[in-house]
Amino acid sequence: MASYPCAVFPEEIEPFVQSIRPYQVADIGSKGWIEQHEVLQKLCQQAFIEATTKQEEVVKEQLILEDKIPLLVHELYSVLVWRTEVLPRLLALKNPDASFVLYSVIYHEANVCSLLETVLYHRSGCEALGSNALDLIDYCAQAAGRLIGLLANGYNDREDDPPPDELLNESTAEEVVRMGRTMDFRIGVKSLGIVSYLVEGLDQLPLSAATRLVRVHDFPCLIAEVLHAKPWLRRNHEGVFEKYRNGSWIPAHGDAILKVTETEAQTWFCLYRLLFNGDLMRDYEINGYRHREIGKCVGLMNEQLLDQLPALIPLKQHLCTLQLTNEAGGGAGGSTASLLLEELPEVRERLVQAARRTGWDQIVEKQRKIFIDLEEHDVVEMAKRIGAAYNTDLLERYTEQEEKRRKQGQNDANAVKVCGNCGGSAAKKCSNCMHVYYCSRDCQLQNWTDHKELCRQLK
């Protein structure tokens, strides 16, 4: 039996989950908030390990049982409001002495986002969101918009891995801003997975969720823009292609450049579910702009993509039909009917109102002592606590184990990838039985007479 490291002991999970409570913007950086930051970091690590190793997902079940998933959405917005309203005011006061304390707050948002992505893979997680699903949809729309903006401004070309001389010359405030953009990228990528799960579990969400997805935020066009921006692919400073997988950039050579990443697949299936959901499309008017934006995705659906994701073939057919309809001057008009009573997101508004009652100046003055005017012993103590919470050694050991298993699986798979006709190296498998490989279409046709009966039996 395989053994895996654990970030949280089984008997700790329940009290950890029960301890989660909502914090206001003014409370960020307080002792209680830091303790909750540590708890959520450990729960995120444990949930990730449980999900990827096919263990019983105790963290997910406990979060649902204790009704804590809506609080995770609250935590997302709490840090987002802090980043947009408080952080710029703090950086304007003076150049901070230690950037990692500010970075821990920025990282908190990405950490909670990652935990939500793990939990919402299950329909029960989507159902547990309740009315906070509307707030999460708004959050993901903003995150995807920031991601598109980063890529449009060349983020993947130069900002994610700046040259060493730039790093040496930047101030602490500039470093914090740069790290904020890095978090925006990571959160944007994670939000694509979250939206995909929300669309898949749409029948578990409030009725207003469909309206916000297509009429308020126009997610079909938003997802189409992301697909064209390709956030999962870049060239590094040496001109080598890299693919974004599991939160890091991995060099890709040869055929590996064409391999679909998990995020890319999720984004494609998100577009598929949006366009093939009759309830959503009844509220969606396909005007000329949407025809063009969504229809352009057909150019991205090449043979290599469809070989890896054959379930997308109906989507390509649908997009081709959409283009023809547009050229013919037709269009699908969505219903103009709307809900007489519609729920609205309220988490962000409640947080902003509470902060305004306290006063932004009072919040900044209170947090100046936490983040800007730090004594040396405060910095050391904070570093120890945050370092213990992140527990990078644990994740490194786990990642090394998973990498060994993945490479072993690749070696085993590569050993049998020979052409069923000529015996040469093969990369494509029979789309019917999914067991026999061929090096080319010609070899497959030549072997069809012999393979036909076996193909039927294997299927």
Side-chain angles (χ1 to χ4, degrees):
M1 181 182 293
S3 61
Y4 296 96
C6 66
V8 181
F9 292 115
E11 62 272 14
E12 292 180 318
I13 293 177
E14 183 177 352
F16 273 16
V17 171
Q18 289 175 343
S19 71
I20 300 173
R21 69 179 185 87
Y23 278 88
Q24 297 299 321
V25 177
D27 298 324
I28 289 178
S30 65
K31 181 180 178 182
W33 186 91
I34 291 293
E35 289 174 353
Q36 180 155 298
H37 172 70
E38 296 170 4
V39 164
L40 287 173
Q41 174 66 22
K42 291 177 181 178
L43 288 176
C44 181
Q45 292 175 354
Q46 183 63 24
F48 174 77
I49 292 171
E50 290 174 354
T52 53
T53 56
K54 305 295 188 290
Q55 299 180 52
E56 181 184 358
E57 297 187 44
V58 181
V59 172
K60 181 262 297 182
E61 294 297 338
Q62 198 64 39
L63 286 168
I64 293 174
L65 181 65
E66 299 290 341
D67 195 27
K68 297 295 185 179
I69 294 182
L71 290 185
L72 298 181
V73 180
H74 178 280
E75 284 296 290
L76 282 180
Y77 272 105
S78 178
V79 177
L80 180 61
V81 172
W82 181 87
R83 285 177 59 193
T84 55
E85 300 291 344
V86 179
L87 180 59
R89 290 176 165 94
L90 286 170
L91 295 178
L93 293 175
K94 110 183 214 193
N95 196 42
D97 294 326
S99 61
F100 75 90
V101 184
L102 289 166
Y103 182 68
S104 67
V105 182
I106 300 171
Y107 183 79
H108 183 76
E109 185 182 351
N111 181 49
V112 175
C113 196
S114 181
L115 181 55
L116 272 170
E117 184 185 20
T118 303
V119 171
L120 295 179
Y121 173 82
H122 304 273
R123 293 169 65 84
S124 56
C126 295
E127 185 180 9
L129 279 168
S131 62
N132 287 61
L134 307 177
D135 298 273
L136 187 55
I137 289 170
D138 281 15
Y139 177 87
C140 290
Q142 295 173 40
R146 291 196 300 270
L147 176 64
I148 292 169
L150 284 171
L151 297 170
N153 288 314
Y155 174 83
N156 271 3
D157 297 331
R158 59 178 183 272
E159 281 201 24
D160 188 54
D161 187 21
D165 56 334
E166 287 186 19
L167 294 176
L168 288 172
N169 294 326
E170 70 179 359
S171 65
T172 307
E174 290 171 337
E175 181 187 359
V176 171
V177 172
R178 176 176 57 80
M179 290 188 299
R181 285 194 290 266
T182 300
M183 282 301 114
D184 278 337
F185 177 84
R186 294 184 182 182
I187 290 168
V189 171
K190 290 181 184 299
S191 72
L192 298 176
I194 292 175
V195 170
S196 178
Y197 300 145
L198 292 178
V199 174
E200 187 176 9
L202 189 60
D203 58 332
Q204 305 292 323
L205 305 182
L207 292 174
S208 302
T211 302
R212 299 204 75 76
L213 279 168
V214 296
R215 298 184 66 181
V216 176
H217 295 299
D218 197 355
F219 261 99
C221 279
L222 195 58
I223 294 297
E225 283 193 64
V226 172
L227 287 168
H228 275 89
K230 298 180 181 178
W232 40 79
L233 180 67
R234 74 171 188 183
R235 280 181 186 265
N236 61 20
H237 295 309
E238 289 75 36
V240 176
F241 279 106
E242 294 180 326
K243 305 282 276 195
Y244 191 74
R245 291 181 180 274
N246 297 323
S248 60
W249 289 101
I250 300 172
H253 305 279
D255 292 341
I257 299 172
L258 302 174
K259 286 202 172 179
V260 177
T261 67
E262 295 82 358
T263 304
E264 185 178 2
Q266 282 181 329
T267 309
W268 275 112
F269 282 118
C270 184
L271 182 63
Y272 180 96
R273 294 184 188 114
L274 285 167
L275 297 181
F276 281 82
N277 187 308
D279 294 333
L280 285 176
M281 289 300 102
R282 274 197 296 271
D283 280 339
Y284 194 65
E285 180 184 356
I286 306 291
N287 55 30
Y289 169 76
R290 289 167 174 167
H291 263 297
R292 291 191 301 273
E293 290 302 307
I294 299 171
K296 284 192 299 187
C297 289
V298 74
L300 301 174
M301 305 189 77
N302 51 39
E303 183 182 350
Q304 290 80 10
L305 176 70
L306 296 178
D307 279 348
Q308 296 173 74
L309 304 174
L312 293 179
I313 292 174
L315 176 61
K316 183 171 184 178
Q317 294 169 343
H318 178 72
L319 294 177
C320 290
T321 304
L322 198 65
Q323 284 188 323
L324 292 173
T325 306
N326 188 32
E327 290 170 4
S335 170
T336 57
S338 60
L339 294 171
L340 294 177
L341 292 174
E342 183 177 338
E343 291 182 86
L344 294 174
E346 53 186 25
V347 172
R348 187 184 189 281
E349 189 60 31
R350 285 202 304 262
L351 282 162
V352 171
Q353 286 178 0
R356 284 173 178 164
R357 284 195 295 270
T358 304
W360 296 116
D361 290 340
Q362 284 81 353
I363 294 173
V364 170
E365 190 58 34
K366 173 185 175 183
Q367 296 188 353
R368 174 175 185 158
K369 299 173 183 177
I370 300 173
F371 297 111
I372 304 297
D373 298 332
L374 282 168
E375 298 292 338
E376 186 176 348
H377 68 275
D378 294 328
V379 175
V380 173
E381 182 182 351
M382 187 77 75
K384 287 180 180 177
R385 296 192 64 172
I386 292 173
Y390 290 170
N391 199 359
T392 53
D393 292 340
L394 165 72
L395 289 184
E396 282 177 7
R397 290 200 305 273
Y398 168 73
T399 305
E400 287 172 2
Q401 291 179 18
E402 288 301 297
E403 186 65 17
K404 288 178 182 176
R405 290 188 186 88
R406 185 181 66 81
K407 288 181 178 178
Q408 183 61 44
Q410 287 178 343
N411 292 337
D412 293 344
N414 290 336
V416 297
K417 288 184 179 180
V418 295
C419 180
N421 183 56
C422 68
S425 176
K428 298 179 181 179
K429 63 175 71 172
C430 173
S431 59
N432 192 47
C433 69
M434 305 298 288
H435 280 75
V436 178
Y437 285 82
Y438 293 100
C439 63
S440 67
R441 178 71 174 166
D442 291 339
C443 271
Q444 185 178 12
L445 291 174
Q446 291 171 17
N447 188 240
W448 177 242
T449 304
D450 297 329
H451 175 62
K452 181 167 58 176
E453 180 59 25
L454 176 63
C455 185
R456 183 185 66 79
Q457 294 175 8
L458 287 172
K459 185 180 180 184

